Amino acid sequence: MRRIVILSPHRPSRELLSRLLSEPGLSVAAMSDADEALDSIADEEPALVVVDARRPDEDQPLMLGLLKRRYPRQPLITLVPGRLRVFDGSEERVRDVRDGSAEGLHLLLSELQRATRDLLAQHLLRMLRPPTGEA
């Protein structure tokens, strides 16, 4: 079963993101603590990590740095004020999204769902593709 790890220090954000990203055949683990998230990733590498960094938290920059250093190809979506940073394992794209209004939140969540579907599809293709040199 494919797995998404969500990191947000704010319970309402964890709950919203968990409900938004849950679907059949997908396990979603939402955590508030960066160390807990890194331990979970070390135990079982997820298909995707989502970090909600819209509100400042002292652990987030450290966690993102450690995650990128330990798992440089780990697909990652970071929610920052006004944009999504989407890393697919090789390149990062930034999707600008207005934030602060109900319309902006709706747009942000729609873009998050779209980026999540794209990264999960890429993950599935990597799993199904035979290693180079094998047919």
Side-chain angles (χ1 to χ4, degrees):
M1 179 177 286
R2 295 178 300 164
R3 188 169 76 103
I4 294 177
V5 170
I6 296 170
L7 174 64
S8 176
H10 307 283
R11 186 181 51 78
S13 292
R14 286 192 308 274
E15 290 173 1
L16 174 66
L17 294 173
S18 293
R19 283 194 312 264
L20 185 73
L21 301 178
S22 291
E23 61 181 56
L26 187 63
S27 166
V28 177
M31 298 160 196
S32 62
D33 181 72
D35 291 330
E36 181 185 8
L38 287 169
D39 288 345
S40 175
I41 293 165
D43 290 343
E44 179 186 349
E45 195 168 332
L48 174 63
V49 175
V50 177
V51 177
D52 185 357
R54 291 176 296 151
R55 296 183 193 115
D57 182 276
E58 60 193 42
D59 287 342
Q60 290 165 345
L62 177 61
M63 190 278 191
L64 289 169
L66 287 171
L67 179 66
K68 288 180 179 183
R69 188 174 47 190
R70 291 180 187 172
Y71 309 97
R73 311 246 338 130
Q74 174 64 58
L76 171 69
I77 298 175
T78 308
L79 289 78
V80 295
R83 62 183 42 112
L84 289 178
R85 301 181 69 90
V86 181
F87 178 68
D88 66 6
S90 61
E91 68 178 274
E92 184 174 71
R93 294 178 313 281
V94 177
R95 296 183 181 182
D96 288 320
V97 181
R98 289 177 289 148
D99 205 7
S101 67
E103 183 182 342
L105 179 60
H106 177 72
L107 186 58
L108 174 78
L109 296 176
S110 295
E111 285 297 317
L112 174 62
Q113 285 179 307
R114 183 176 309 150
T116 299
R117 282 192 303 269
D118 291 348
L119 292 176
L120 289 174
Q122 290 175 17
H123 179 262
L124 188 58
L125 286 173
R126 282 192 304 273
M127 289 174 45
L128 297 174
R129 187 175 297 141
T132 305
E134 296 181 21

